[in-house]
């Protein structure tokens, strides 16, 4: 009997990718076309895809807000887990990236599900229909944008997340440095991600865990208003 957990070696990660991913040719092509268009090659790992979709489907999610969509890889993953009348509001600051996402969403047949909101999310979101209703009407928030603003996105969006909904933050392992007192690379971002994890795990409105797939996702289920 042991309480030792199993470290995710590269071999085990390959196994997860080959057995528990919903990445397909469309998403692989999206990544290569994004690179050709000069968009940074940054997106969730393929082993995160099925996990995110499972979370959305487990609560019958219809409304998702994604903050930081870049080339739209995760946007399409999220949209594919919604019913045809669902919506992903994809917040993307860069106009070129936003145009790329719109093009890919249309190609994927998800043009009516993906609503690209171009601009800084803290400016564009407050007047969006999902945030101006009297009842909380967001099922899932996925935060994957500039790390120092994670807590600002959280403050803005959490009041609009329904009880029974999820808040998910990407890069919760901070490129493997989340536990370090003195991180070597991108210390400001690492500290912001650590602070965000601490904020979520200490928020009594949420039951929170960290799923160590890809660079980690902190996942909170809203259990009370
Ligand atoms: C990087 C990875 C991410 O998932 C992200 O959201 C931002 C940056 C990176 O590897 O630099
Ligand atoms: Mg990320």
């Amino acid at each position: 009997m042991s309480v030792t957990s199993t470290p995710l070696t590269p071999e085990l990660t390959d196994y997860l990718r080959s057995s528990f991913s919903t990445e397909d040719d469309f998403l692989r092509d999206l990544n290569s076309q994004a690179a050709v268009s000069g968009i940074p090659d940054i997106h969730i790992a393929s082993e995160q895809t099925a996990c995110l979709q499972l979370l959305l489907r487990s609560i019958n999610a219809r409304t998702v807000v994604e903050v930081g969509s870049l080339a739209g890889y995760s946007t399409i993953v999220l949209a594919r887990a919604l019913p045809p009348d669902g919506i992903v509001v994809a917040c993307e600051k860069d106009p070129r990236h936003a145009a790329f996402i719109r093009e890919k969403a249309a190609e994927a047949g998800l043009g009516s599900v993906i609503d690209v909101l171009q601009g800084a999310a803290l400016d564009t979101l407050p007047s969006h229909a999902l945030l101006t209703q009297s009842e909380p009407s967001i099922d899932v928030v996925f935060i994957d944008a500039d790390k120092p603003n994670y807590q600002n996105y959280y403050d803005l969006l959490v009041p609009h997340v329904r009880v029974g909904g999820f808040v998910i933050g990407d890069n919760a392992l901070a490129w493997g440095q989340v536990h370090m007192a003195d991180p070597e690379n991108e210390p400001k971002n690492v500290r912001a991600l650590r602070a965000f994890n601490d904020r979520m795990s200490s928020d009594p409105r949420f039951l929170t865990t960290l799923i160590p797939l890809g660079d980690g996702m902190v996942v909170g289920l809203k259990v009370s208003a």
Side-chain angles (χ1 to χ4, degrees):
M1 186 61 187
S2 162
V3 289
T4 306
S5 58
T6 302
L8 272 184
T9 59
E11 293 77 14
L12 286 170
T13 299
D14 284 347
Y15 167 73
L16 293 180
R17 287 183 177 174
S18 63
S19 298
F20 299 98
S21 163
T22 58
E23 185 184 79
D24 61 359
D25 286 341
F26 184 89
L27 289 168
R28 280 185 282 274
D29 289 348
L30 181 150
N31 284 339
S32 31
Q33 288 161 18
V36 168
S37 307
I39 301 178
D41 186 22
I42 294 173
H43 50 82
I44 58 165
S46 61
E47 64 269 29
Q48 291 175 261
T49 55
C51 179
L52 281 169
Q53 291 177 330
L54 180 156
L55 290 170
L56 266 58
R57 287 186 181 275
S58 73
I59 61 161
N60 292 317
R62 278 192 59 251
T63 56
V64 177
V65 174
E66 177 182 61
V67 186
S69 298
L70 207 66
Y73 179 100
S74 51
T75 317
I76 285 174
V77 168
L78 295 166
R80 284 175 170 174
L82 300 182
D85 67 342
I87 184 151
V88 180
V89 179
C91 303
E92 177 49 47
K93 191 170 175 181
D94 187 302
R96 285 174 47 251
H97 302 171
F100 184 88
I101 301 167
R102 286 195 182 103
E103 198 181 302
K104 291 295 147 195
E107 270 179 40
L110 293 165
S112 63
V113 176
I114 294 172
D115 175 13
V116 181
L117 208 53
Q118 192 265 314
L122 293 173
D123 297 333
T124 58
L125 273 176
S127 58
H128 191 278
L130 281 177
L131 281 83
T132 53
Q133 299 176 23
S134 52
E135 288 296 307
S137 46
I138 301 173
D139 295 324
V140 175
V141 167
F142 182 57
I143 303 175
D144 194 15
D146 49 325
K147 311 313 172 194
N149 269 322
Y150 269 35
Q151 295 207 50
N152 294 324
Y153 302 131
Y154 187 80
D155 289 333
L156 173 67
L157 288 164
V158 164
H160 302 282
V161 175
R162 69 160 164 101
V163 170
F166 287 118
V167 174
I168 306 168
D170 192 45
N171 302 99
L173 292 175
W175 310 285
Q177 299 182 93
V178 72
H179 61 299
M180 293 181 183
D182 205 1
E184 284 165 23
N185 303 315
E186 301 194 45
K188 190 162 155 260
N189 286 335
V190 174
R191 288 197 183 94
L193 289 161
R194 170 68 175 267
F196 184 70
N197 289 348
D198 292 347
R199 174 83 186 279
M200 278 198 71
S201 65
S202 62
D203 188 328
R205 296 169 295 181
F206 286 86
L207 174 62
T208 301
T209 190
L210 195 162
I211 300 179
L213 292 176
D215 189 32
M217 292 182 279
V218 57
V219 178
L221 174 70
K222 195 170 186 186
V223 290
S224 70

